Amino acid sequence: MRSSRRPPPRGPLHGWSTISALRVKRHRGDCPSFRPLEREEETFMKTDISFNTEDGVALAAWFFAAKGATGPAPTVIMSHGFSATKEMHLQGFAETFQTAGMNVLVYDNRNLGDSAGEPRGEIDPEQQIRDYRDAITYAQSRDDVDGERIGIWGSSYSGGHVLVVAAKDRRVKCVISQVPLVQGLDNARRLVRSDHWLGLRAGFVADRQGRMRGEAPLTLPVVGNGPEDPCALPTDDSREFFTSLPPENLGSWKNEITLRSMEMFTEYEPADYISRIGPTPLMMVVGRYDHLTPADMTLAAYERALEPKKLLILDCHHFEAYTGEMFRISAPAQCAWFVEHLM
């Protein structure tokens, strides 16, 4: 690699590691139809659809038809993270991939947003993984989809899901995992105060006992009104993100999940699968200052992945990866990875 002879990156690439920045600079030419700073000039085709999972749950989705396609096109399948809806800044990524000639299927996870499913607010990672695979099956049934060129994209909680799906399902030909959860229990131990663990565990037991008696599931907020409020995501940036979204970026989000969702969070270990992804190409995007899904955990997991793989480190916290300057840096790099391996 000749990167050592080049000067350090400047301008919008400032803040990445030198290797990551130079690799992205080289690959951006692989998206000839993509103009990341001129998106307002593009006309995007987005259709509201729904599709059924194998067990009959209707998932609400958007379908972005590949720009310039004259036949079946490669397709990227996307869903959002813990409790989040498709309206929460996923459209920009979808339009980026669409502009480069890929179809994009973006859906709300079951029990959340506009999708069906009960109990509402229940976030079951294993079920969401099965739904990703059903989304692949649905996409392959469409005449406008090339079923041999399927990519998957996930962020935060779904960033963990796509690691598992890519390890299990060889229909996946490329995967991007953005600011992912990789170790549920260790991640939860960083988020939950140590003196709250005993009460949380007792709540898990009480919830199981109540469900057995036919009672409604226990619930808790996703974010609280202040730093001391019991909630699922007790960081300041989580609270600011969810409570400051305008209506057009909120969708049908509810600030409530089942307590069992937190129990399943603590039992979820997607990094256990990461060494099984290769030879499927993997790109991981990490926020250097991410403390919701901590960067050190993600980087340690990345080291266990086999080639081909690519790491992009952004100088940002968790939620900053979705918008603004970090989006303008990251989206072209992610587009290039999909183009390289799907087009």
Side-chain angles (χ1 to χ4, degrees):
M1 182 175 177
R2 294 177 297 181
S3 61
S4 59
R5 302 179 200 165
R6 301 183 183 182
R10 299 180 183 276
L13 296 177
H14 177 70
W16 295 355
S17 66
T18 302
I19 292 176
S20 295
L22 290 172
R23 284 180 178 168
V24 170
K25 186 175 182 180
R26 185 179 67 229
H27 286 312
R28 281 182 65 176
D30 294 339
C31 289
S33 64
F34 176 50
R35 302 194 303 273
L37 298 183
E38 300 174 10
R39 288 175 54 246
E40 68 276 9
E41 298 178 5
E42 303 287 354
T43 300
F44 298 102
M45 172 72 79
K46 181 185 75 173
T47 306
D48 291 319
I49 65 168
S50 68
F51 63 94
N52 287 340
T53 62
E54 188 174 308
D55 61 340
V57 174
L59 301 185
W62 294 329
F63 189 81
F64 296 78
K67 182 180 179 182
T70 57
T75 300
V76 175
I77 294 168
M78 305 174 59
S79 70
H80 218 315
F82 196 84
S83 88
T85 64
K86 61 187 181 299
E87 287 82 3
M88 294 179 179
H89 302 303
L90 294 194
Q91 181 160 334
F93 290 98
E95 290 173 349
T96 298
F97 308 147
Q98 177 189 38
T99 302
M102 292 170 272
N103 298 317
V104 187
L105 176 66
V106 185
Y107 66 93
D108 278 338
N109 288 299
R110 70 166 64 205
N111 310 333
L112 302 170
D114 293 326
S115 287
E118 297 289 342
R120 300 306 293 174
E122 181 118 309
I123 303 171
D124 181 341
E126 297 301 329
Q127 183 62 66
Q128 291 184 349
I129 287 165
R130 290 192 292 271
D131 290 346
Y132 252 109
R133 301 182 76 175
D134 287 350
I136 294 172
T137 303
Y138 163 73
Q140 289 181 319
S141 74
R142 295 179 59 108
D143 293 338
D144 49 3
V145 170
D146 183 342
E148 296 301 314
R149 293 188 288 169
I150 298 291
I152 56 175
W153 183 100
S155 188
S156 195
Y157 212 45
S158 68
H161 300 347
V162 294
L163 300 177
V164 181
V165 174
K168 290 182 173 183
D169 198 325
R170 291 302 165 186
R171 294 178 297 173
V172 175
K173 298 304 189 290
C174 186
V175 54
I176 294 178
S177 176
Q178 176 177 276
V179 292
L181 173 95
V182 292
Q183 293 180 265
L185 181 58
D186 286 347
N187 205 139
R189 283 174 170 160
R190 296 208 194 176
L191 292 175
V192 179
R193 281 174 38 181
S194 59
D195 58 331
H196 288 179
W197 266 101
L198 188 61
L200 184 63
R201 294 288 192 192
F204 295 161
V205 174
D207 180 57
R208 286 182 173 275
Q209 293 171 339
R211 288 189 188 221
M212 187 69 75
R213 293 190 296 267
E215 298 171 5
L218 296 178
T219 62
L220 78 163
V222 179
V223 294
N225 295 318
E228 299 302 318
D229 289 349
C231 61
L233 304 179
T235 66
D236 290 340
D237 58 341
S238 298
R239 184 170 60 256
E240 179 180 357
F241 176 78
F242 285 107
T243 60
S244 65
L245 285 167
E248 62 270 21
N249 291 121
L250 198 61
S252 299
W253 180 77
K254 303 296 183 185
N255 189 22
E256 182 178 85
I257 61 167
T258 64
L259 185 61
R260 178 172 289 181
S261 301
M262 283 303 298
E263 184 177 21
M264 290 185 284
F265 184 112
T266 66
E267 298 168 351
Y268 184 38
E269 301 293 334
D272 290 349
Y273 290 86
I274 198 166
S275 63
R276 308 179 203 173
I277 295 174
T280 302
L282 165 67
M283 180 179 189
M284 293 186 75
V285 180
V286 180
R288 190 186 302 274
Y289 308 113
D290 192 339
H291 51 258
L292 184 61
T293 54
D296 62 298
M297 291 184 184
T298 311
L299 293 171
Y302 177 81
E303 289 302 312
R304 295 161 55 189
L306 303 180
E307 297 286 351
K309 62 181 181 178
K310 181 179 181 64
L311 176 66
L312 173 61
I313 300 176
L314 300 174
D315 277 343
C316 69
H317 294 85
H318 186 86
F319 294 101
E320 293 170 328
Y322 294 98
T323 60
E325 183 65 14
M326 294 300 103
F327 168 82
R328 289 189 289 272
I329 291 171
S330 182
Q334 295 185 29
C335 174
W337 187 249
F338 277 139
V339 166
E340 179 179 355
H341 297 289
L342 295 180
M343 301 290 283

